[in-house]
Amino acid sequence: MAVKTKELKLDIDRIGTVSAILMEPANARACYVLAHGAGAGMRHASMDKIAEGLAERGIAALRFNFPYMENKQGRPDQPAVAHAAIRAAVEVAARLCPGVTLVAGGKSFGGRMTSQAQAKAPLPGVKGLAFLGFPLHADKKPSTERAGHLAHVEIPMLFLQGTRDGLADLGLLRPVVAALEAKATLHEVEGGDHSFAVLKKSGRTSEEALAEVLDTLAAWIDKLA
């Protein structure tokens, strides 16, 4: 399958410009606005693998840097800044990939900022949110405080979570997802950590675990369509 990769710049209103990458397979049927996690930007190897894997499944991916990552600042942006970056990315994705199913979300911090943005005001054209490891709480500090805003999201959500994820105690996440009823789906990746890496003793590779994640995401997107 032929895949086009475009280097872009996103203009964020009253904030500045950040880099972005659109990886678009021929005849893409969907586009995923893929926000990065707190500690690694859009060019991290894990982001490359996700975008490439989605392209193999006929889904485009628009990656972008949050301003703090673009400017090499250590601390993540304030939520309002992150939300503005996500809105800019969604607008560009909708313009460059017209007529396909548009979804948004991303890894950890990026996914949580996307859900916050959607809860405050719907992201135009976005049909669903997919989280690649929703960070329900800080490491070793179980809590559900970060989930409060999810009740205000009115579109379908997919939670892809490793069973060894230290940032999402499944004993807490399962009831959170259940309370969201039909609009939320939880898929547990057996043995996966926060990045879906698995231990050798699991009997499979981290690449196989990621393939499970991407297959599940692609099937869920197809149901949205």
Side-chain angles (χ1 to χ4, degrees):
M1 181 183 296
V3 178
K4 296 186 295 183
T5 300
K6 299 177 183 177
E7 296 272 349
L8 307 167
K9 291 292 184 181
L10 300 185
D11 293 319
I12 306 171
D13 189 34
R14 295 191 297 275
I15 293 171
T17 302
V18 298
S19 302
I21 303 171
L22 175 64
M23 186 173 287
E24 183 182 13
N27 300 316
R29 65 185 185 278
C31 181
Y32 182 39
V33 179
L34 171 60
H36 64 72
M42 68 171 186
R43 296 184 190 277
H44 189 269
S46 64
M47 297 287 281
D48 287 339
K49 289 180 180 179
I50 292 166
E52 290 166 359
L54 288 172
E56 291 170 359
R57 291 162 175 81
I59 297 169
L62 179 71
R63 291 174 277 166
F64 62 97
N65 276 336
F66 287 111
Y68 79 95
M69 188 63 66
E70 184 78 6
N71 298 318
K72 298 180 171 59
Q73 297 169 341
R75 179 175 294 182
D77 298 310
Q78 292 296 312
V81 173
H83 300 167
I86 290 162
R87 291 187 185 281
V90 166
E91 181 181 345
V92 168
R95 176 166 52 84
L96 295 181
C97 300
V100 306
T101 304
L102 184 62
V103 296
K107 289 176 61 67
S108 196
F109 168 81
R112 183 165 69 97
M113 290 298 102
T114 303
S115 60
Q116 286 183 0
Q118 176 69 28
K120 285 183 175 295
L123 297 163
V126 171
K127 302 301 183 184
L129 303 182
F131 310 115
L132 307 179
F134 188 86
L136 185 62
H137 50 74
D139 192 28
K140 300 178 182 177
K141 295 182 179 180
S143 168
T144 60
E145 290 179 5
R146 291 180 176 177
H149 69 281
L150 296 172
H152 302 289
V153 174
E154 299 296 337
I155 58 176
M157 291 173 277
L158 173 65
F159 294 78
L160 293 150
Q161 302 286 155
T163 59
R164 294 192 302 119
D165 190 339
L167 277 67
D169 183 325
L170 287 173
L172 297 176
L173 183 62
R174 289 183 187 121
V176 165
V177 173
L180 297 170
E181 300 180 331
K183 65 183 177 182
T185 301
L186 172 62
H187 180 88
E188 298 178 19
V189 180
E190 184 61 39
D193 66 9
H194 191 56
S195 298
F196 307 114
V198 296
L199 301 173
K200 288 184 178 180
K201 66 181 181 181
S202 70
R204 62 173 177 166
T205 66
S206 296
E207 288 73 19
E208 289 170 333
L210 180 60
E212 176 188 337
V213 167
L214 298 180
D215 285 343
T216 303
L217 175 55
W220 177 80
I221 290 173
D222 287 342
K223 288 181 180 178
L224 290 181

